[in-house]
Amino acid sequence: MCVKSFISVAAIAAVTGLSASIASAQITIPTVPIGNPGNAADPFPGNLYGSVSYTYNIGATEVTNAQYAAFLNAKAASDPLGLYNDSGVAGGMGGLYGGITRTGSVGSYTYSTVSGRANNPVNFVSFWDATRFANWLHNGQGSGDTETGAYTLTEDGMITNTITRNAGWQWAVTSENEWYKAAFHQPASAGGDSDNYWRYPTQSNTAPIPGLPPAGQANYNKAIGNTTPVGSYAANYYGTFDMGGNVFEWNEAIVLAFTRGFLGGSFSSVGNLPADARGIGYGPLAENNGLGFRVSQVPGPGSVALLAVGGLVRARRRRA
Ligand SMILES: [Ca+2]
Ligand SMILES: [Ca+2]
Ligand SMILES: [Ca+2]
């Protein structure tokens, strides 16, 4: 499949294009379509996730340092929103676990990817950083707004942790069910588990072998100790990579009143890969070396009608 070559093109552009052209260049987020709309949730005891009524696209990989650096060059010359992190463990994005450095001074900051880490997942990003990235994609990148679009980021809404995805979204941080379905769902009729859901996001009910490929099957369990380039391991049923490990991925779920969900395990965590490893989430301001995100996208015009139906179904359920 062509996902890797797309990423390479983006990475090369980011590495060689330098800041001036990064700011104006459009980045590409490779996505895969997630069909089977209206699938039932995972029946595994205690798991109620994975049902999505509409067709959507999801990022084939975690958002990468190259993609996020392009966002920073477009929107963080002064960075009043704290989109860049240089204070996290080992120096944040510019340190051992990151992959983006910043030069210049306030008003003229420029950002570059670290050699060899352009294609690693971005980390040290809060949930709000992720929603701002999604808004920027939604608004066409470039000088596109970060505070409106898929999410209306009001100060009050962020403080109370009540912000949800707007109708009419084009790009968004994955919802919990979008993420869960892409990670674990595979119809039994298409070779999946008998109940249509695997326990691990590697098309298996057995934990993957941690470590580097080819012997290793996922980057988790501290076997490697750092992020790996996205797509280093095999894709799962829908064609997504690294839903097991590399970095945990934020999702929109308001798990507790003061947290947002994240799923999938990370290089810096022991376990947490299985479908039933939901946890209580992180406060939306959390930023650490093992936490990144992935985006969802509304599919092309052919699916709009279907999506509208899905939206109505969701609206009705919410009112019920
Ligand atoms: Ca931040
Ligand atoms: Ca199962
Ligand atoms: Ca991951």
Side-chain angles (χ1 to χ4, degrees), residues 42 193 195 197-199 205:
D42 187 350
D193 197 17
D195 62 2
Y197 285 88
W198 298 107
R199 183 149 192 257
N205 290 325

Side-chain angles (χ1 to χ4, degrees), residues 139-155:
N139 290 315
Q141 305 182 29
S143 61
D145 190 26
T146 59
E147 308 307 291
T148 60
Y151 307 92
T152 305
L153 298 174
T154 62
E155 191 176 345

Side-chain angles (χ1 to χ4, degrees), residues 217-231:
Q217 298 172 318
N219 181 5
Y220 78 111
N221 219 5
K222 302 183 179 180
I224 298 171
N226 208 323
T227 62
T228 39
V230 298

Side-chain angles (χ1 to χ4, degrees), residues 2-232:
C2 55
V3 166
K4 282 194 179 179
S5 57
F6 268 115
I7 296 167
S8 298
V9 169
I12 289 164
V15 170
T16 61
L18 299 179
S19 55
S21 55
I22 288 174
S24 57
Q26 291 274 311
I27 59 166
T28 300
I29 306 282
T31 63
V32 294
I34 309 294
N36 301 309
N39 63 302
D42 187 350
F44 187 83
N47 282 22
L48 304 168
Y49 309 104
S51 174
V52 182
S53 60
Y54 49 91
T55 299
Y56 59 103
N57 295 338
I58 195 166
T61 73
E62 299 142 329
V63 172
T64 65
N65 285 317
Q67 292 160 355
Y68 196 84
F71 171 55
L72 292 171
N73 276 312
K75 296 301 295 185
S78 299
D79 201 23
L81 301 172
L83 301 172
Y84 185 71
N85 177 323
D86 60 3
S87 61
V89 57
M93 290 179 180
L96 175 65
Y97 300 104
I100 304 173
T101 55
R102 177 162 76 181
T103 56
S105 52
V106 180
S108 59
Y109 285 140
T110 59
Y111 302 86
S112 306
T113 52
V114 173
S115 178
R117 297 186 67 84
N119 260 343
N120 290 39
V122 70
N123 46 13
F124 301 100
V125 282
S126 71
F127 179 72
W128 304 123
D129 294 332
T131 59
R132 284 172 163 136
F133 181 86
N135 275 345
W136 177 70
L137 294 179
H138 171 105
N139 290 315
Q141 305 182 29
S143 61
D145 190 26
T146 59
E147 308 307 291
T148 60
Y151 307 92
T152 305
L153 298 174
T154 62
E155 191 176 345
D156 182 62
M158 288 189 280
I159 289 170
T160 56
N161 194 36
T162 52
I163 291 168
T164 56
R165 188 187 299 185
N166 291 329
W169 66 280
Q170 294 297 310
W171 290 91
V173 180
T174 55
S175 76
E176 182 165 45
N177 284 321
E178 288 166 354
W179 198 98
Y180 192 105
K181 179 175 179 178
F184 302 111
H185 183 253
Q186 180 175 358
S189 60
D193 197 17
S194 57
D195 62 2
N196 306 317
Y197 285 88
W198 298 107
R199 183 149 192 257
Y200 292 90
T202 44
Q203 292 179 265
S204 176
N205 290 325
T206 304
I209 299 165
L212 285 166
Q217 298 172 318
N219 181 5
Y220 78 111
N221 219 5
K222 302 183 179 180
I224 298 171
N226 208 323
T227 62
T228 39
V230 298
S232 295

